[in-house]
Amino acid sequence: MEKRFYVTTPIYYVNAEPHIGHAYTTILADFLKRFYLMRGYDAFFLTGTDEHGDKIVKAAHEKKATPQEYADRISGIFKAAWTEIGIVNDDFIRTTEERHKAVVRKVLQKVYDKGDIYFGNYGGYYCFGCERFLTEKEMVEGKCPEHNRKPDYIEESNYFFKMSKYQKWLIDYIKAKPDFIRPERYKNEVLSILENEELEDLCISRPKTRLDWGIELPFDENYVTYVWFDALINYISAIGYPDDERFKKYWPVVQHLIAKDIVKPHGIFWPTMLKAADIEPYANLNVHGYWNMEESKMSKSLGNVVRPGELIKKYGNDQIRYFFLREMTFGLDAKFAEDSIVNRINFDLANDLGNLINRTLNMNKKYFDQKVPVFFPDSDAGRKDIQEKFRESLHEYINNIENFRFSVAVEKLWEFVRSLNKYIDEYKPWQVAKENKTELLSSIMRNLLEAIYGISVLISPVCVEASGKIWAAFGKKGGHDDFREIESFNLLNDGDNIGDPEILFPRIEKETSPVQEKEQVQVKKDTKENDTEGLIDIKEFLKVDIRVAQIIEAEKVEGSEKLLELKLDSGIDNRTIIAGIAQHYSPEQVKGKKILLVANLKPATIFKRKSQGMLLAAKTQDAGELNLIIVDDRVPVGSRLG
Ligand code: MSP
């Protein structure tokens, strides 16, 4: 069978503007779509907006707009937000669209004709936040735990869906297909409801006298359908149930993505509705946790909403996508802190991946004039070992993504990235160059370039922009759906030109979060301007490239009492500096030490010798004693300070 993939997000209520919680689910869906496309699947990605129901009417009323005007406006804001952050969905469904309403009526009629919808009287506690009746068990101290408010008691005559009829079937189905709802904790949550409570039938209508902003029932014009019955059907209406080619193609391979707030409607209402309508159940329900700001959930009412567009403007698209995937263990809650974003960018992206690419391309520029060097099978450049590591991390990456363990998947790939940095430190291409072992140097560089290209393909669903830039530099287009190709480590052509290296992930100075920024503005206003006289701003400081270098050789400069000539490994090259430390250190004392090097100083001639940079040392107050700043051995050579 042709490989097919269909991913959905919840359709978002239009009573609030998009925030990063919505963006997380949507970015995840976008990532999955790109991942499966890359693997040669026919992939489809659906998102949209949920526009009927009490909440929307209330929100529209507050803004003095009709529900339709209001829904049009907010739905447009969602669409624009997704475009702004580079989301490429295949369709966007709105529940007020005619194509959707027609399918809802069709399904209602089918289930009604089957005898699974009946008219009755019901009184219960309704939470307008959840848009559903809560059971006694679900309430905590008489309140809805999700919205922290008392639900309203509502009693009226309505239509009911015989959900209870399918309770036993659903229990058996979930047990027979253990990953139907995943991760396991949510499967257990659903099973525990199903096994310990008698399901009540689902009230699926609202009398028009109370609410008319909904889809009219096909069998009673005095009623509109209940918002969840309406909303869930979007997953099949968008792809043209029952006759459209898209429905035939993408149902039931669908992967639903939701957060833990809406497990019950998706885990219980939806499969029983599908069963009653004689439609096959979805493939998997995938449930993630919440992003929490500090200790509380992010929500409009709490006023701590972060807008996706703003976040991406501040940190970059690839950076936020990487952060989302790496930082949240799928299924568990995660803390949203800008500090953690900055750490991920500086450590994983700038230090590990960025540094690897930069070092490699710079060395290749220096040694091979930016041409892809030849691999010599007889040279001892450790290819077997890197290739094996690559193969392992590639399989771990794919397997973990397929099982929705994104943070593990990404970490596995980064283990490989880090191992390549170690490979450079071990093989020391600059040393090999000095020893004129051209074939070995050529093979080392080719290994690195093939590995970087392979990584750029694998990360392309995450770091969309960066991989595009790497491909442009390599004159390639990615797109290897057969991964055996990239495993082969033979995708580059001898002698091809490689473009200029570019800083893909600039380091970010640790700054303040938006909330703190406001406070800082306040402080600035109160400070007199001349208090900052003589100070430099951070941008100026960051121009200085200070990095960890290792002293490989040291000797006294003949004819000078003060100077030592030091040969350094800077992580990007071998260089010589002349340092005025001879009265404080003997050559033996400094050999092998890791020190801090100012790497982007203009070269100077000292005692007729060229000095390429300066090392950092601390002087005592009276300048009598001088101490080199020695760096801990665990810090890799080439790491930048900042
Ligand atoms: N309209 C319903 C869904 C109907 S689907 C048939 C709805 N809409 S919603 O606007 O409230 O969106 C809820 C979804 O937004 C969550 O399931 C999740 O995907 C996302 N998130 C909202 N806040 C979130 C966090 N704080 N953290 C992570 N995801 C969050 O429910």
Side-chain angles (χ1 to χ4, degrees):
M1 199 178 102
E2 206 189 319
K3 299 192 286 186
R4 282 166 192 162
F5 179 76
Y6 172 29
V7 63
T8 68
T9 71
I11 45 170
Y12 305 113
Y13 286 129
V14 289
N15 66 333
E17 293 188 20
H19 58 63
I20 62 145
H22 305 123
Y24 173 71
T25 320
T26 313
I27 286 177
L28 216 52
D30 184 79
F31 160 77
L32 283 166
K33 152 92 193 281
R34 290 174 196 263
F35 174 79
Y36 279 94
L37 264 188
M38 169 173 91
R39 305 200 50 214
Y41 279 64
D42 176 344
F44 192 83
F45 160 23
L46 174 71
T47 186
T49 40
D50 189 355
E51 306 185 5
H52 290 127
D54 293 284
K55 296 216 245 226
I56 314 301
V57 174
K58 195 164 162 262
H61 191 72
E62 278 165 14
K63 298 278 180 213
K64 301 199 172 22
T66 65
Q68 188 64 60
E69 284 165 355
Y70 186 70
D72 287 349
R73 191 167 77 76
I74 307 285
S75 180
I77 292 176
F78 268 94
K79 265 191 187 162
W82 300 152
T83 309
E84 187 184 3
I85 66 168
I87 300 292
V88 185
N89 47 304
D90 296 287
D91 201 349
F92 188 100
I93 183 84
R94 300 183 54 188
T95 53
T96 48
E97 285 176 271
E98 201 42 58
R99 61 170 174 154
H100 172 72
K101 293 182 191 171
V103 176
V104 171
R105 285 193 204 104
K106 192 169 277 168
V107 173
L108 278 166
Q109 191 67 54
K110 196 167 172 188
V111 179
Y112 184 74
D113 292 345
K114 199 174 171 183
D116 280 349
I117 289 177
Y118 64 91
F119 194 67
N121 198 35
Y122 183 75
Y125 290 96
Y126 194 81
C127 170
F128 284 94
C130 296
E131 292 276 21
R132 64 184 179 85
F133 286 101
L134 301 183
T135 62
E136 296 277 350
K137 264 198 172 159
E138 282 178 301
M139 293 192 276
V140 177
E141 291 169 0
K143 286 182 179 171
C144 163
E146 183 72 27
H147 296 93
N148 199 23
R149 343 182 352 240
K150 272 198 171 149
D152 297 45
Y153 187 82
I154 292 183
E155 194 173 349
E156 61 194 15
S157 295
N158 264 312
Y159 286 89
F160 289 83
F161 163 51
K162 281 188 192 163
M163 197 156 72
S164 53
K165 179 174 159 188
Y166 299 101
Q167 180 161 4
K168 169 86 176 55
W169 165 81
L170 186 55
I171 294 173
D172 293 343
Y173 192 84
I174 294 175
K175 286 190 168 163
K177 193 171 182 300
D179 68 348
F180 182 57
I181 300 171
R182 59 188 175 183
E184 206 180 357
R185 54 170 48 216
Y186 298 106
K187 175 194 87 172
N188 294 341
E189 188 182 311
V190 169
L191 264 185
S192 137
I193 299 176
L194 289 171
E195 286 182 324
N196 298 314
E197 292 170 36
E198 252 187 49
L199 277 191
E200 287 177 13
D201 288 341
L202 186 66
C203 175
I204 58 148
S205 66
R206 300 287 176 267
K208 275 191 184 167
T209 46
R210 180 161 75 76
L211 171 84
D212 70 350
W213 183 237
I215 302 171
E216 193 179 288
L217 296 184
F219 40 82
D220 190 338
E221 60 181 19
N222 296 315
Y223 283 82
V224 294
T225 188
Y226 157 61
V227 63
W228 272 106
F229 207 96
D230 166 353
L232 288 161
I233 288 174
N234 90 85
Y235 301 130
I236 57 171
S237 70
I239 53 170
Y241 168 82
D243 297 322
D244 199 289
E245 274 314 303
R246 294 200 297 187
F247 179 75
K248 289 177 189 153
K249 223 174 166 185
Y250 300 118
W251 199 268
V253 298
V254 61
Q255 297 293 333
H256 292 314
L257 274 180
I258 60 164
K260 62 183 187 180
D261 52 342
I262 48 179
V263 168
K264 193 170 178 184
H266 283 82
I268 299 180
F269 303 175
W270 186 220
T272 53
M273 281 166 63
L274 287 166
K275 179 74 182 160
D278 298 322
I279 303 169
E280 270 194 75
Y282 51 77
N284 298 93
L285 178 65
N286 305 284
V287 188
H288 62 78
Y290 278 143
W291 284 100
N292 292 325
M293 303 282 290
E294 305 300 344
E295 289 312 308
S296 54
K297 197 185 102 181
M298 187 172 20
S299 77
K300 196 173 144 213
S301 55
L302 290 168
N304 48 9
V305 182
V306 179
R307 298 276 164 238
E310 283 169 26
L311 195 68
I312 272 160
K313 251 185 233 135
K314 188 165 175 188
Y315 295 107
N317 205 350
D318 288 3
Q319 285 83 340
I320 294 302
R321 290 169 75 96
Y322 176 83
F323 168 77
F324 273 159
L325 283 164
R326 177 65 187 82
E327 194 75 8
M328 180 178 258
T329 302
F330 193 84
L332 301 179
D333 288 357
K335 207 168 107 199
F336 183 84
E338 293 198 48
D339 239 23
S340 322
I341 301 180
V342 173
N343 282 341
R344 287 281 170 217
I345 293 175
N346 285 350
F347 294 126
D348 303 9
L349 294 175
N351 255 11
D352 295 342
L353 183 59
N355 209 19
L356 167 70
I357 297 172
N358 223 255
R359 289 167 92 182
T360 305
L361 297 201
N362 271 322
M363 288 191 285
N364 201 58
K365 187 173 185 174
K366 188 164 171 185
Y367 305 132
F368 295 101
D369 196 23
Q370 295 186 285
K371 301 272 182 287
V372 174
V374 176
F375 176 74
F376 293 90
D378 293 336
S379 67
D380 191 16
R383 169 170 290 216
K384 228 177 122 212
D385 187 42
I386 316 190
Q387 219 176 336
E388 194 44 46
K389 280 196 183 119
F390 181 61
R391 202 170 287 140
E392 255 171 49
S393 72
L394 181 148
H395 287 287
E396 293 267 19
Y397 179 68
I398 295 172
N399 185 270
N400 280 296
I401 292 172
E402 285 176 349
N403 288 292
F404 284 65
R405 291 187 294 260
F406 307 112
S407 58
V408 183
V410 171
E411 176 53 23
K412 291 290 171 194
L413 201 56
W414 251 252
E415 276 172 15
F416 179 60
V417 170
R418 280 183 224 113
S419 78
L420 288 173
N421 274 320
K422 281 210 193 93
Y423 173 79
I424 299 181
D425 295 345
E426 251 170 54
Y427 278 79
K428 300 191 186 345
W430 48 94
Q431 199 92 17
V432 178
K434 232 177 62 188
E435 291 160 9
N436 282 327
K437 295 178 181 161
T438 323
E439 292 194 356
L440 177 59
L441 182 65
S442 186
S443 303
I444 293 172
M445 294 312 299
R446 180 62 175 265
N447 282 348
L448 285 167
L449 291 170
E450 292 282 358
I452 288 173
Y453 181 64
I455 291 168
S456 76
V457 172
L458 295 184
I459 60 163
S460 62
V462 193
C463 298
V464 183
E465 289 167 15
S467 48
K469 285 184 188 163
I470 300 172
W471 295 347
F474 279 62
K476 290 269 184 187
K477 287 203 187 88
H480 306 280
D481 52 26
D482 183 350
F483 282 168
R484 277 170 303 190
E485 272 178 27
I486 48 173
E487 276 181 18
S488 73
F489 257 44
N490 200 17
L491 282 177
L492 306 177
N493 302 316
D494 296 353
D496 271 6
N497 202 54
I498 295 198
D500 264 324
E502 186 183 336
I503 305 285
L504 293 174
F505 305 106
R507 288 180 64 82
I508 297 193
E509 49 176 292
K510 272 231 172 136
E511 222 203 27
T512 44
S513 73
V515 190
Q516 288 163 319
E517 256 166 17
K518 273 187 214 136
E519 286 160 11
Q520 247 200 4
V521 171
Q522 199 60 42
V523 174
K524 266 193 197 148
K525 268 192 198 156
D526 296 340
T527 325
K528 283 196 200 86
E529 254 184 28
N530 60 8
D531 279 0
T532 59
E533 242 176 36
L535 303 182
I536 58 166
D537 77 33
I538 186 81
K539 277 197 193 124
E540 278 177 75
F541 171 71
L542 287 175
K543 282 188 199 156
V544 186
D545 178 0
I546 302 177
R547 57 177 71 224
V548 176
Q550 190 161 28
I551 302 176
I552 305 164
E553 284 169 35
E555 60 182 42
K556 286 200 146 196
V557 173
E558 254 188 55
S560 164
E561 282 188 359
K562 290 186 183 165
L563 300 175
L564 284 189
E565 179 170 339
L566 306 174
K567 295 244 163 26
L568 303 181
D569 167 5
S570 74
I572 41 170
D573 56 13
N574 266 354
R575 58 171 80 194
T576 305
I577 65 166
I578 309 297
I581 56 170
Q583 289 171 320
H584 308 272
Y585 292 92
S586 69
E588 291 67 41
Q589 277 177 314
V590 295
K591 234 175 130 175
K593 291 273 185 297
K594 284 186 176 172
I595 48 100
L596 289 176
L597 166 76
V598 181
N600 59 345
L601 270 191
K602 286 191 183 142
T605 308
I606 304 172
F607 247 72
K608 292 194 185 145
R609 286 155 217 252
K610 201 165 148 201
S611 180
Q612 299 164 291
M614 180 181 106
L615 53 70
L616 293 188
K619 282 183 185 151
T620 48
Q621 285 288 10
D622 58 3
E625 215 176 289
L626 186 132
N627 293 292
L628 276 182
I629 311 288
I630 308 284
V631 178
D632 192 295
D633 223 29
R634 284 170 301 184
V635 186
V637 167
S639 309
R640 262 196 83 165
L641 208 78

